[in-house]
Amino acid sequence: QVQLVESGGGLVQPGGSLRLSCAASGFTFSRYSMSWYRQAPGKGRELVASISSGGGSTNYADSVKGRFTISRDNANNTVYLQMNSLKPEDTAVYYCNVVRTIMTYWGKGTLVTVSS
């Protein structure tokens, strides 16, 4: 079965950096686009970044452009989110996502807290 396991979250000061990882299994990872979403306290889930199956195309939410970078390692079935210049408003649970045929799969998320 499809499994997505996020890691790398934690507490960081404003202006700091974190790198999130999502280890995928149960499907042919290299065939599918992957995405990162986030959900801040009291808000809905929003798309942060996505990457095509081969890694050649990426998209970002306006709020993170220039600060976050999504990448993937198809040999190791892992997608990453490098987050730089973090702001308090980036505080959220970050989720890995894949849409496979008609099914959408989510990981359990990793909490990122940006605070001094």
Side-chain angles (χ1 to χ4, degrees):
Q1 69 278 21
V2 174
Q3 285 193 320
L4 302 171
V5 180
E6 302 95 337
S7 61
L11 174 64
V12 63
Q13 292 187 340
S17 297
L18 281 175
R19 189 193 197 202
L20 306 184
S21 299
C22 171
S25 62
F27 64 104
T28 307
F29 180 77
S30 61
R31 292 184 180 177
Y32 295 91
S33 298
M34 298 294 297
S35 299
W36 284 97
Y37 284 73
R38 68 185 180 187
Q39 187 165 15
K43 296 188 176 181
R45 198 170 292 191
E46 64 169 348
L47 177 64
V48 175
S50 59
I51 187 166
S52 61
S53 57
S57 178
T58 57
N59 289 287
Y60 298 92
D62 287 343
S63 59
V64 307
K65 280 181 182 176
R67 300 188 298 122
F68 289 12
T69 302
I70 189 170
S71 62
R72 65 191 295 160
D73 180 349
N74 282 349
N76 290 298
N77 292 356
T78 303
V79 61
Y80 303 98
L81 186 67
Q82 177 67 44
M83 306 186 296
N84 299 328
S85 302
L86 283 161
K87 306 175 181 180
E89 51 264 42
D90 295 318
T91 295
V93 178
Y94 285 71
Y95 298 92
C96 186
N97 166 275
V98 64
V99 178
R100 179 172 174 263
T101 59
I102 62 171
M103 296 293 292
T104 298
Y105 298 90
W106 300 93
K108 292 184 178 180
T110 186
L111 176 63
V112 172
T113 303
V114 184
S115 175
S116 55

